[in-house]
Amino acid sequence: RQAIRKWRDGLVNLTGTNRLLNLKPSKTGTLTIAQPAPAGVLAAVLAGRGYAFRALRPDPEKGESAEDEDVVLSDTDPGAPRLPSPDHLDVDKPADDLGRSLRNLYRRSSQAYLDQGLSILYLAFGTLEWSDVDRTEYRSPVLLVPVRLETAGPGMWPVLAPTEDDVLVNPALALKLDQQFG
């Protein structure tokens, strides 16, 4: 068992190129959820509930509010933040950028699953900012909740759906911290 564990741990990329150790948000490869609160999202996804997405910023070139005209903004100030919705994950991006990011994430996660049988799409809850022994700064996700994006229909953004896979503490982070700091 020890030999198998050592072999398995040796397969994990523990360099700064591993996004599980060194998370650097990209324009189309990550989404930061502005609202609702993380605890509510985690509870809902673990209970099997999915979410649609909603852009918080208007598209600059279109001069309109984000995705839907029927989504209600604050009653007093049209420029105020959107009211939280129990059915939407609000992302602080213009609608065009959010759509591009969702399509990219859907394409990449679907392709990885078809090609290799790997689920690579996760909601990350919490981050750990830390330095290794060489004083290199890292920012690592802590709790990983496997999810998938499903198509909602032609011309519509994908929706977030939970999977049957188990929630896990970032295995690469746990291994790296164990090796370097015990």
Side-chain angles (χ1 to χ4, degrees):
R1 289 183 189 262
Q2 185 175 357
I4 291 172
R5 185 178 309 116
K6 185 175 180 180
W7 173 76
R8 182 195 66 206
D9 292 349
L11 295 175
V12 178
N13 175 4
L14 295 178
T15 67
T17 61
N18 185 341
R19 293 182 67 175
L20 290 176
L21 293 176
N22 194 18
L23 181 63
K24 293 183 180 178
S26 66
K27 189 170 183 175
T28 61
T30 56
L31 293 174
T32 301
I33 308 302
Q35 56 188 20
V41 173
L42 179 60
V45 171
L46 292 178
R49 197 170 111 219
Y51 284 97
F53 290 91
R54 188 169 67 168
L56 287 179
R57 285 195 247 157
D59 284 323
E61 61 275 351
K62 292 182 182 176
E64 59 188 35
S65 65
E67 180 191 3
D68 297 327
E69 292 179 13
D70 61 337
V71 175
V72 179
L73 295 173
S74 167
D75 295 283
T76 56
D77 180 12
R82 290 177 184 256
L83 300 174
S85 165
D87 301 322
H88 290 88
L89 295 176
D90 292 330
V91 179
D92 191 21
K93 285 187 173 196
D96 284 346
D97 290 349
L98 177 56
R100 193 173 304 112
S101 294
L102 287 170
R103 285 187 298 276
N104 179 54
L105 289 169
Y106 175 77
R107 184 179 60 255
R108 287 178 52 207
S109 62
S110 296
Q111 196 64 48
Y113 189 76
L114 290 172
D115 289 350
Q116 302 165 340
L118 296 175
S119 296
I120 62 167
L121 192 62
Y122 293 91
L123 286 178
F125 291 89
T127 55
L128 177 66
E129 295 180 11
W130 59 285
S131 302
D132 70 0
V133 293
D134 299 332
R135 300 214 190 283
T136 303
E137 298 288 323
Y138 291 95
R139 184 171 184 232
S140 307
V142 178
L143 186 67
L144 302 172
V145 179
V147 293
R148 68 180 178 276
L149 289 174
E150 297 177 342
T151 56
M156 297 179 69
W157 291 345
V159 295
L160 184 88
T163 68
E164 297 295 321
D165 297 334
D166 293 332
V167 174
L168 57 143
V169 174
N170 183 342
L173 177 62
L175 182 61
K176 178 80 169 184
L177 293 178
D178 184 49
Q179 285 183 357
Q180 287 203 348
F181 304 109

